[in-house]
Amino acid sequence: MRKPLGPREEALTGQQPFWEEKLSTIPEMFGEEPSEPAVKAEILALKPDTGEEVWSIPRDELTWASPVCVNTGSRMELILAGNSTASSYDPETGTRLWSVKCLDGEVAPSAAYANGMVFVANDTPALVSGIRIADVEGQSAPKPAWQKDDFRPDVASPLATEKCVLFATSGGTLACRDPRTGDVKWSQE
């Protein structure tokens, strides 16, 4: 268990962060070769007002992506795009709810969510995926509804609505995909 992070005195004036703590640095995370992690990956939940650890769970893969917390209509889920999977966790306990193998490489874009679908992507060699997580026609576990191999972002996270999922590539192209089918509605350089 880590020490409680606690509020900083300067936070009371509004001039500084309320609390802060060094969790790790890039040189500490990776050995001499970036493909060989020197530390284990984990997801860490902290109380926002004190920085006190609520839970911590180990992960098998590293990621640059930030988790997103979504209300699926039936429960809250913490969704994280990793180096090979998109996974969901219970934000209260850290229990893994589901995991879908659909990514590859060093993943930077965070997941997006809209209307019972999770959208994840990464540049080569991964695909852009739309994962149906809502209960539809007796589906018992989340699975990709579609996967595409064009307009893949390597850094920018997608933005999803009921009508469009936006993906921005590093080459400067913005593409709108149909959330149900993954088909490109339009693209603009």
Side-chain angles (χ1 to χ4, degrees):
M1 188 76 148
R2 291 177 178 82
K3 66 177 179 146
L5 303 180
R8 290 176 41 153
E9 190 172 322
E10 300 93 337
L12 301 176
T13 65
Q15 302 299 312
Q16 298 290 324
F18 192 66
W19 56 266
E20 67 180 13
E21 182 70 21
K22 176 183 151 189
L23 298 175
S24 70
T25 63
I26 298 302
E28 291 172 349
M29 289 178 63
F30 296 100
E32 290 191 23
E33 293 295 321
S35 62
E36 297 179 21
V39 296
K40 298 280 186 195
E42 67 180 339
I43 300 177
L44 179 65
L46 305 173
K47 289 185 179 178
D49 56 342
T50 66
E52 180 183 346
E53 182 177 319
V54 178
W55 53 260
S56 173
I57 58 167
R59 284 181 45 90
D60 296 332
E61 55 189 11
L62 296 174
T63 183
W64 297 103
S66 298
V68 294
C69 199
V70 301
N71 184 343
T72 66
S74 61
R75 65 184 176 199
M76 295 298 293
E77 294 189 24
L78 184 72
I79 299 172
L80 182 60
N83 290 7
S84 65
T85 64
S87 300
S88 173
Y89 300 86
D90 181 328
E92 295 290 325
T93 66
T95 302
R96 186 163 67 177
L97 302 171
W98 56 263
S99 185
V100 175
K101 186 167 177 53
C102 59
L103 292 165
D104 199 5
E106 291 190 27
V107 176
S110 296
Y113 174 85
N115 206 30
M117 297 276 293
V118 171
F119 305 96
V120 294
N122 195 38
D123 201 5
T124 306
L127 299 172
V128 176
S129 299
I131 302 167
R132 183 169 310 286
I133 64 170
D135 291 328
V136 178
E137 301 170 10
Q139 175 182 320
S140 60
K143 62 182 179 182
W146 52 263
Q147 293 186 304
K148 305 292 181 175
D149 67 355
D150 58 347
F151 299 111
R152 296 175 295 197
D154 67 340
V155 176
S157 298
L159 175 66
T161 70
E162 289 182 5
K163 297 180 181 180
C164 180
V165 186
L166 294 170
F167 293 92
T169 70
S170 290
T173 302
L174 181 66
C176 169
R177 292 186 181 278
D178 183 310
R180 293 171 291 117
T181 65
D183 294 340
V184 175
K185 290 182 165 187
W186 56 262
S187 65
Q188 179 69 48
E189 286 190 24

